[in-house]
Structures are given as C-alpha cells and as structure tokens.
Amino acid sequence: MDERYEPKQIEPKWQAEWDREELYLTREERDRPKFYLLEMFPYPSGEGLSVGHLHNYVPCDVIGRFKRMQGYSVLHAMGWDAFGLPAENDAILKRLHPRETVPRYAANYKRQLKLVGCAYDWTREIDSSTPEYYRWTQWFFILLFKRGLAYRAIGSQWWCDKCRSVLANEQVVDGRCWRHGDTLVTKKDLEQWFFKITDYADRLLADLAAIDWPERIKLMQTNWIGRSEGAELGFPVVGFPDREVRFFTTRPDTVFGVSFMVLAPEHPLVAEITVQSQRAAVDRYVNEARRQSDIERMSTVKEKTGVATGAYAHNVFTNRDIPIWIADYVLMGYGTGAIMGAPGQDQRDFEFASKYGLEIPRVTTPADGSAPPADRAFTEPGVAINSGFLDRMATADAIRAVCKFAEEKELGRATVSYRMRDWLISRQRYWGCPIPIVYCERECGIVPVPEDRLPVLLPDIKDYQPSGTGRSPLANISEFVNTTCPKCGGPARRETDTMDGFACSSWYFLRFASPHFNKGAFEPAAADYWLPVDLYVGGAEHAVMHLLYARMWTKVMFDAGLIKFNEPFPRLRNQGLILAADGSKMSKSKGNVVTPDAMVEKYGADALRLWEVFMGPFEETTNWNEDGVVGTARFLGRVWAMIRRFVEVGCPAGAPSADTLRWIHKTTRTVTDHIERLRFNTALAALMEELNYLARLKPGEIGRFAIETYVLMLAPMAPHIAEEFWRALGHERSVHLESWPKFDPVLARDEVVTVVVQVNGKLRDKLEVAVGTSEDEIRALALKSDAVIRHLDGKPPRKIIYVPQKLLSIVV
RNA sequence: GCCGGGGUGGUGGAACUGGUAGACACAGAGGACUUAAAAUCCUCUGGGGGUAACUCCCCGUGCGGGUUCGAGUCCCGCCCCCGGCACCA
C-alpha cells in the first residue's frame, strides 16, 4: 500500500479488474433467495448525470452490493427510456437526429455510472427505442387491443403547440405541457387511440392498500382516480319527447331541491335545444369557452358565468319545469357533462343561482336541529326536508331511497363515477413506437399487425420534425403508409401515429429478467423467478403517470395469464431531490450543475459515493454542498492510514479486547440494520464512530478480525478502497464476493450502562453501573448522590419511577 | 381552499416504541509538526450566567397552551416552508 490514499491510483485499476472478472454478472441461481432491485430507467439527456442523479443510483448500488454479500441472487441492471418526446425535442433543438443522440447520451450515462463504481449487470442493458425492444411494446399494444382495452375515438384532446402533438391528461400540469412549462395547452378535435385504464379504476384503487409505497404517492393515485359514489339520473327535456338531460350526482337525496340544470358548453344537446332568442348568446358563450385556456377556465377563484338555453327540463320529483343553462364550470369530460343544480346543498350551484337569480330551495337541514347557514349552501349530510317521500330521512337513507325509486321507475340507477379518464396514447410524432395497426381499405376495418410480422419498423427518415397538422411525419412516407391488409391482402394504410413514451416504460421491468429473449416479451420462467420487483426506487414526479400506467399493464398481463403477480412494485421508495447549493434546481441553463466527473477528479469515486449517502436521509431533499466531500475523503484517508499501519506490521492476528469485540459487533448490528432500512447516512456514521475508536489502538490490539470486518462493511459504500484493502490484507479473491459479517448479540451487549437520575423531571446525575444492577442498588446509589441530595432539599421522595437500565426519576 | 411532508446549533443532519437533545460530519477558534504553507494530528465549539476550581446554575428542538415524574417525540390552537390536487357535480 502506498503511504497516501490516492483514489486515482486504485479506482480505475479495480474497475478494470471487476470488468475482467465479470464480477457483476447476475448470478441467477434459482435455489437462492432473489432480490430484484430497480431504479426507474432514465431518459438519457444530453446534459449527462449530475451529482443529484447519483443520490438515487449510489444508494441503490449500496443496497445491491449489500444484498449480494448477504447471499441473494441480485438482479440489478440499467436501461434507457429512449423513445418519446423529451429525446425528440432535444434532438430538434440541436438540429440532430434522435437515432444518433440517444445512443451517444446513453453511452455517456453508462460511462458516468461506471466511473462512480455502480455495479450493474451491463449484459442486460436495454434501450426502448431498439426494434428488439419495441417489437414487444407493439405486441403488448395488440394484447390490449385484443382484450378490448385499446380503442379509437374522436374527441377534443389536449394539444401542445410546441410538442405539436396531443397529450394525455396526466401530462397536462396546471394547464401546461409537462415538457414545456411555459406553454399553455389547447384543445384539438382528433381521432385518437386510447387505453381503457378506466376499466381498471377500481382495482388500481383497491390494490393500493396492499402495497408498501410512500403514503403520499398512494394518495396522489387515489385522488387521481377520484372515485365517487352516486347516481345517474335523467330528466326529460320539455318539448323534446325523446330527449333527456342525463346527469351524475353524489347527492341524489337532494333531487327535490333541483331548481335548474347546467350543461357543459360542449354538450351535444346544446345546439339542439337552445331556443331561437338565446342562440346568439349561447353561441358566443360556447366559442368563448373553447377559446379559453383551461387554466383560466378551471380557476376556482373565477366568478361563475353561464347562459340560459331557453329550454326547460322536467324535474320528475318536484313535477316542475326548470331552466337549462350552460356554464363552463361544468366539464364535458366528467360524468355525463351535465349537472343538476341543487343550490341549497351545493356551494358552486349556490353561487351560480345567486348570480342569476335562480330559486334556492333548502332540502337538507342539520341533524342536530340547528339552522342551516343563510348565506351559503349547507353541504353537510343532515336530514331531508321539503322533499316529498324523503322527508325526515337521514342523508344516507335518502340517497338509498332515491336510487331505489329511480331504478323502479327507470329514471336512473346508483353508479360510480371516476375523474380518471382513459389514457390517450397516440402521438403525432416520429420518435416513438409505431402503433401496429393497419386500416383496410376494403372492409376489414381496423386490423392489428399479426404478431409474427412485428415489429412494425420505425422508418429511418431525415426529416422527422413534427408537422403541426395533427398528423405524424410518418404520414408523409408513402412506403410506410401504403401496405396490404393482413387479413384480406387488399390495399391498406398504416396507422402513422406513434405511442406515448409511457407505453414503453409500462413493461420494461419485465424485460430485465430476460433481456435477450426473442420468443416473447419475457421468458416466463425468468419472470417467475425475478418478478415482482423487490425494491423500486424513483422520483415522486411519476406518481400519476408511469406508476399508474405500469400498474394497469401489469393487471392486464395478470388477467391474460401471462404473469402470476398483479402489482409490479410491492415496495416503492422515492429518493430525495438534490438541489444546488442555493436551493434552486440544478440545470445547465443556470450553470449550476455539479457533475460526478468533476467530483471524481477532485476527490475520487468512493469519497463522492460516501457523501452521496452521508449528506442526509435517502428520502429527503437536500442542497448540494461540496464541502462535505472533503469530509468523506478525509474519513477514507484515516481508514487508509489505519489499515496501512496494520499491514506494515504484518497483519497481526491479535486478540481483541472485550471493548473492541463489543465495538465490532455493535457496529455490525447498526450498519446491517440501517442499510436494510435505507438509512445510509447513519450506517456510515456508525462506521465513522468505530474508526474513531479503532484508530487510537495499536495494530496488535485491533487484530485481523476487527480490520476485516470493518473492510467488509465498508465494501458496499466504498467498493474501490475496500477492494484495495482486502487484497492488501492478503486475499486473492474480490471483497465483493465475500459474505456480509454477522453479529453476535451477546458480544454486542454492553457491560456497563449509564442510568440517568432525574429529580422532578430534571437530569441531576448519571450513574455508571454494571449491567444487571438491581433497582434497589440503583435507588441506594442515587439517593447517596451529592447532586441528588442537593436537589431533594431535605424532602422525602414522594414517588420513584424506574426504567430498567436507563433511568430513575425521583419526585418530591 | 383541500390533502400530504416538514420546521432541531453558524451548516448538513442524529435522537428506535415519551426517558441523557445536538450522534456523525462540515465550517470556525486555539495548539502540535514545519523555514513556511498544504496535508496530518490534538483540544474546544447551542445560548446565557456563576466559580479559586469543579462533577455548578438557568434557558433552549417554529409560536401559544395542555397531558405526564418526564415532551423534539403525544393532544389542542396558531405561524411559516416544501410538494400534490384544485369548480370532478
């Protein structure tokens, strides 16, 4: 060993050696317990990895190495979420081609991950933009299609002018595009492909109970799915014998208080029922609503607006005709696009009715007999009044009664509504997985491409820029578009839209189990062994996108009998964000990105790794502070000095003292426990504490056992230096093939404990006593203590509380 | 507005189920080594006060109350920060 710790002398050397030994190939030994560890696979960006990204990858690498040492077969691989808008947008900006940039960026990510010593099995690397991969994305599309879960529909869709494509609901954030925060989305009428995720709403909701995920992610999904129980009812339109306004309500008990109806401006009935005198005003309002951005339209602070259609509906409960209005607070996409106005019991309806002078009947009153508020709606459950056959019923009973009545009279039924919409997956873009569908020009209609003719290859074209016409650039490639119908052989045209990038990431976790399998998306036996993922780690930003989609696809595969599990990620954790030193986000445009390359150059990969885990709790957001790397580098230098001294005197076997033995076992216990609980910062602190103890001893007093145990525990976090130590200690084989040390709880036990003595709840003395000292002895010792006597002030103790081996509390 | 998460020294953060607040580090101060500097090592380091000295005293985990022998931790009421949702009938 050199006198000084020089990371540059050892890190490249061991990385090359590990590669040569193929140390990190997955050991797929099916009789061993398995551990499938997975980070959300990244979209390789041109900016490369920052030290912020490593706050995810380094701790996961620690877990993978730790589990491997514990004897698990570990699957830990990396791949690239390469298809999709982010990659294409970047290439457009740089006037390059994604086919060129994506592999280049991915290679750079890979280089950086290797630079910091991450132990991925690179023989399992995957790239979602390669035909070997997207062939199976297409296969899944067809699976969904065949199961009735992929359908085509026309409708008003979110459109981003910068992406020049439609977007899914999940990709619209605050009325803006998820990739272009400065661009408000608009609506466009297009025929599009959807996945019927709403069919899975109930299961996606119910199965959340059984998975170990951060509570806040579960909540976001729960809110996103937005399940509401209620009833769907219909009131006839006066003067239109075969027309009715159908509406959904969560409060069918308030039907006797319905004094008006409101349709969404886009509602198809509007054009039909509007009376001549109102037509101009209605048209103006509808156009205005369409022009408005949704961020304006959905603002809750905005005053309610609306226009009467002049038409009336018949409230079959009150037997009265009530006006039908249109208003933009009613959304076409939820329920039926129409509501009943019950202003006495709904605050929004109350505001609307107040503004337009509509009647405000009160049909619910507080159960305790108090008066309902006069200046707003009473929205709580209570007791029905002025409600015919519902009078005096509690809200819950009245709801049931109305549903029963409605079913008997065929007016409607109890039902459940969700705010989640189907997943719009068509994109009018080039860089995505082609949708494997053909439109037959004779009579076969929509025909899926047969499985044995997959993949539908993405043509290699130069001008891939989105057209903005609502059609993908693929529509201009006649060789691609024109084909024959797989069914009848007649002339046919290909679907030219590509899939949302989130389709590719909805099944990739299965691909790692058998990444080169070419007879299916995955090899069943491999999937059975490895899946589901034992620990899934990624950012919280995917809560209602990737994480919801992947759960849906998994359930589809489960239903199709392809896999035996129905949740892909039973245990999920979100790593905390690393911000720049000033608390802002790291970005190239701000020039505040700290790269692993710079940190490795300055301090070495191991010191960087240690600081990544030491700077704070894994799941919490922290600001980057380079000074900390100095500290972890210094720590490694001190370990180096200790081990060098030990090696120089010939690695004496030594006979550790009881104290030393206790330190070893206690530290092993702490480090094991804390890594398991993903508390890497405190695991490392325990190793630092033990070093502070060991470094004061002479090599002969420490002994080989203590040194080796220490090196083994350091290995997952600082793999290079640990390898250097291990070999210097005379071992032929890599430290990373060794077993994780076990601790002996008996040897870890303290011989002396500190018992705290309190008088009236304040700490007054500390007694160092042998473990097992009796309460009586401790009481006697405490009452003899000068400090205690002083604070007792001559009074006799009224009460003494004893917490064994910990504390004695005297009350006077 | 609603729903989560959080607020602890100069800084990052420790403190398992109510039981020694500030582990482990960073920064800072002083000292050793050195011609000097860097590196390294040692000591001190929440605030205030007291003492010849100490094993001394008081205060202290966003704010105000409460429960308890004992509260960073539990309860009630506020303030602030971060994240999510936001007219979903």
Side-chain angles (χ1 to χ4, degrees):
Chain A
M1 281 172 80
D2 293 338
E3 193 181 330
R4 278 172 49 100
Y5 168 47
E6 293 288 352
K8 273 188 216 160
Q9 302 294 313
I10 62 168
E11 289 176 353
K13 176 181 76 181
W14 290 120
Q15 284 172 11
E17 174 66 11
W18 297 333
D19 266 354
R20 205 183 54 73
E21 289 178 27
E22 299 189 319
L23 202 60
Y24 298 121
L25 291 198
T26 310
R27 285 182 293 174
E28 192 170 331
E29 293 162 29
R30 298 199 179 168
D31 52 338
R32 282 215 243 182
K34 63 94 182 180
F35 193 84
Y36 183 4
L37 170 65
L38 184 65
E39 296 104 296
M40 289 180 186
F41 74 156
Y43 140 67
S45 127
E47 299 200 8
L49 294 171
S50 74
V51 292
H53 295 101
L54 294 186
H55 195 238
N56 181 6
Y57 301 120
V58 169
C60 285
D61 188 55
V62 174
I63 287 279
R65 289 171 176 278
F66 170 74
K67 286 285 173 186
R68 215 175 272 125
M69 289 177 82
Q70 280 190 324
Y72 287 85
S73 286
V74 171
L75 176 55
H76 193 200
M78 181 48 66
W80 317 111
D81 188 11
F83 258 155
L85 294 171
E88 189 179 323
N89 289 343
D90 169 82
I92 291 170
L93 208 69
K94 295 182 177 149
R95 298 171 187 282
L96 296 168
H97 197 289
R99 209 178 281 289
E100 182 271 314
T101 54
V102 163
R104 186 151 55 85
Y105 296 164
N108 188 41
Y109 268 38
K110 182 172 173 178
R111 179 192 62 77
Q112 288 180 301
L113 290 169
K114 284 186 157 188
L115 180 71
V116 297
C118 285
Y120 294 105
D121 177 355
W122 289 105
T123 65
R124 291 182 185 242
E125 181 178 357
I126 60 174
D127 174 336
S128 64
S129 67
T130 57
E132 302 79 60
Y133 184 92
Y134 70 69
R135 172 184 178 187
W136 302 111
T137 307
Q138 293 175 344
W139 184 86
F140 278 114
F141 181 97
I142 290 165
L143 175 76
L144 268 79
F145 178 78
K146 287 183 173 164
R147 297 181 70 82
L149 295 166
Y151 67 93
R152 224 166 131 69
I154 195 155
S156 177
Q157 312 303 343
W158 297 117
W159 176 270
C160 169
D161 264 333
K162 280 213 181 130
C163 288
R164 298 185 177 182
S165 175
V166 293
L167 300 171
N169 285 309
E170 289 80 1
Q171 289 158 0
V172 177
V173 180
D174 288 340
R176 294 158 196 271
C177 169
W178 69 304
R179 301 309 312 177
H180 298 106
D182 55 339
T183 308
L184 294 172
V185 295
T186 53
K187 287 256 167 166
K188 209 162 188 157
D189 285 318
L190 289 167
E191 190 169 18
Q192 301 288 315
W193 280 96
F194 291 85
F195 287 149
K196 218 168 175 185
I197 194 168
T198 50
D199 267 15
Y200 285 82
D202 259 329
R203 282 164 68 189
L204 289 170
L205 190 64
D207 294 349
L208 284 174
I211 54 181
D212 175 13
W213 282 22
E215 217 43 49
R216 107 193 112 114
I217 302 285
K218 288 194 190 185
L219 243 129
M220 280 191 233
Q221 292 210 349
T222 303
N223 293 338
W224 187 262
I225 295 166
R227 184 181 195 276
S228 305
E229 288 183 11
E232 191 183 310
L233 303 167
F235 286 169
V237 181
V238 176
F240 292 81
D242 53 351
R243 287 285 180 270
E244 61 172 2
V245 179
R246 293 204 70 78
F247 57 92
F248 173 76
T249 176
T250 53
R251 291 290 302 274
D253 61 301
T254 63
V255 282
F256 284 90
V258 174
S259 54
F260 60 97
M261 306 294 296
V262 188
L263 305 180
E266 305 90 337
H267 198 287
L269 265 182
V270 174
E272 209 177 328
I273 63 173
T274 301
V275 301
Q276 197 52 46
S277 59
Q278 287 299 97
R279 193 157 294 267
V282 165
D283 285 351
R284 212 179 310 125
Y285 189 81
V286 169
N287 287 333
E288 178 66 20
R290 285 191 72 85
R291 246 204 21 249
Q292 254 180 17
S293 75
D294 273 67
I295 204 161
E296 292 165 330
R297 178 163 166 188
M298 298 203 291
S299 162
T300 49
V301 293
K302 199 185 83 172
E303 201 180 321
K304 307 250 170 319
T305 58
V307 180
T309 61
Y312 286 80
H314 186 71
N315 183 335
V316 297
F317 292 90
T318 57
N319 225 357
R320 292 172 62 179
D321 291 346
I322 54 175
I324 303 174
W325 286 64
I326 63 169
D328 64 4
Y329 79 94
V330 177
L331 309 172
M332 194 57 223
Y334 183 74
T336 62
I339 62 157
M340 61 178 210
Q345 269 55 60
D346 183 285
Q347 187 56 29
R348 295 155 301 188
D349 297 345
F350 182 90
E351 287 166 23
F352 192 75
S354 304
K355 177 163 176 186
Y356 293 106
L358 297 159
E359 209 189 319
I360 304 179
R362 300 284 182 164
V363 292
T364 308
T365 191
D368 61 10
S370 62
D375 57 342
R376 60 195 155 87
F378 175 67
T379 57
E380 310 295 309
V383 176
I385 52 168
N386 307 323
S387 292
F389 69 94
L390 300 176
D391 278 350
R392 285 184 302 282
M393 281 191 200
T395 295
D397 298 328
I399 288 173
R400 270 191 293 274
V402 170
C403 290
K404 189 162 165 262
F405 179 86
E407 268 165 55
E408 281 165 9
K409 304 277 179 220
E410 297 187 353
L411 297 166
R413 62 197 166 84
T415 185
V416 174
S417 193
Y418 300 91
R419 60 200 297 169
M420 182 170 66
R421 317 289 154 81
D422 277 339
W423 171 15
L424 166 57
I425 58 129
S426 309
R427 295 293 179 275
Q428 290 70 54
R429 296 288 295 243
Y430 169 71
W431 191 244
C433 175
I435 294 175
I437 288 288
V438 161
Y439 303 99
C440 176
E441 287 178 4
R442 285 188 189 156
E443 53 206 16
C444 310
I446 298 174
V447 182
V449 174
E451 287 170 26
D452 59 7
R453 289 201 220 159
L454 297 180
V456 174
L457 285 172
L458 181 66
D460 197 355
I461 58 171
K462 245 206 188 126
D463 291 320
Y464 65 87
Q465 285 79 359
S467 62
T469 57
R471 298 179 76 202
S472 147
L474 294 180
N476 302 326
I477 317 293
S478 56
E479 311 89 86
F480 178 78
V481 176
N482 297 314
T483 184
T484 51
C485 171
K487 241 188 192 165
C488 70
R493 298 173 68 79
R494 278 190 198 284
E495 168 65 59
T496 57
D497 284 351
T498 54
M499 285 185 234
D500 180 4
F502 283 107
C504 308
S505 56
S506 291
W507 72 278
Y508 80 103
F509 44 93
L510 277 155
R511 191 65 183 165
F512 282 124
S514 48
H516 310 297
F517 189 61
N518 60 12
K519 295 189 182 64
F522 53 88
E523 188 194 340
D528 281 350
Y529 177 71
W530 287 115
L531 275 285
V533 176
D534 293 280
L535 177 64
Y536 195 40
V537 180
E541 68 274 16
H542 288 293
V544 292
M545 292 194 264
H546 163 60
L547 287 171
L548 200 58
Y549 300 146
R551 290 182 65 216
M552 180 219 168
W553 278 41
T554 301
K555 289 177 194 300
V556 175
M557 290 181 233
F558 176 80
D559 292 350
L562 297 171
I563 53 175
K564 294 174 180 152
F565 53 95
N566 101 85
E567 282 292 340
F569 317 123
R571 187 172 177 224
L572 169 78
R573 292 293 179 270
N574 300 128
Q575 82 277 9
L577 235 52
I578 300 299
L579 304 170
D582 63 357
S584 65
K585 274 183 91 171
M586 281 192 192
S587 78
K588 213 170 196 173
S589 56
K590 287 200 198 112
N592 59 2
V593 177
V594 182
T595 64
D597 308 66
M599 292 298 105
V600 170
E601 173 65 26
K602 243 169 132 172
Y603 307 99
D606 283 333
L608 172 61
R609 290 171 61 102
L610 290 189
W611 179 237
E612 290 282 350
V613 301
F614 191 61
M615 60 192 297
F618 175 58
E619 300 190 68
E620 253 153 61
T621 296
T622 329
N623 296 357
W624 175 256
N625 172 12
E626 194 183 316
D627 292 343
V629 197
V630 178
T632 52
R634 196 177 290 158
F635 161 72
L636 290 174
R638 294 180 63 211
V639 183
W640 183 276
M642 172 179 79
I643 293 190
R644 185 166 179 274
R645 279 201 312 271
F646 184 77
V647 170
E648 299 240 294
V649 299
C651 305
S657 65
D659 266 356
T660 303
L661 220 50
R662 192 156 43 244
W663 267 102
I664 299 166
H665 287 277
K666 273 174 96 163
T667 307
T668 309
R669 182 176 61 194
T670 307
V671 174
T672 308
D673 181 54
H674 287 213
I675 291 181
E676 236 141 42
R677 288 156 59 197
L678 312 185
R679 301 170 65 138
F680 308 100
N681 54 335
T682 47
L684 179 53
L687 285 172
M688 288 175 169
E689 277 185 85
E690 190 185 331
L691 177 72
N692 289 343
Y693 168 80
L694 291 178
R696 288 165 196 275
L697 302 181
K698 293 190 183 77
E701 295 169 322
I702 302 173
R704 184 175 267 273
F705 174 64
I707 291 283
E708 293 199 343
T709 308
Y710 197 86
V711 172
L712 289 169
M713 288 196 284
L714 196 59
M717 294 194 244
H720 310 87
I721 200 173
E723 187 75 297
E724 182 73 18
F725 291 152
W726 196 246
R727 308 288 178 128
L729 289 166
H731 297 279
E732 294 289 317
R733 224 168 64 132
S734 170
V735 68
H736 303 296
L737 296 170
E738 295 299 322
S739 293
W740 185 255
K742 294 195 170 45
F743 64 91
D744 181 339
V746 175
L747 293 173
R749 201 185 296 153
D750 284 314
E751 282 175 354
V752 175
V753 289
T754 307
V755 174
V756 169
V757 184
Q758 295 183 348
V759 177
N760 287 337
K762 279 191 197 263
L763 179 123
R764 295 305 178 191
D765 203 357
K766 295 177 188 180
L767 305 173
E768 300 284 322
V769 298
V771 166
T773 305
S774 72
E775 182 181 346
D776 289 344
E777 287 173 79
I778 288 168
R779 273 181 187 236
L781 281 170
L783 292 171
K784 267 191 280 178
S785 148
D786 289 343
V788 172
I789 290 167
R790 197 165 54 234
H791 289 279
L792 285 179
D793 204 17
K795 288 174 228 150
R798 278 198 291 128
K799 192 171 165 189
I800 296 180
I801 293 139
Y802 177 62
V803 181
Q805 313 289 300
K806 244 185 190 163
L807 173 138
L808 190 80
S809 183
I810 304 169
V811 191
V812 288

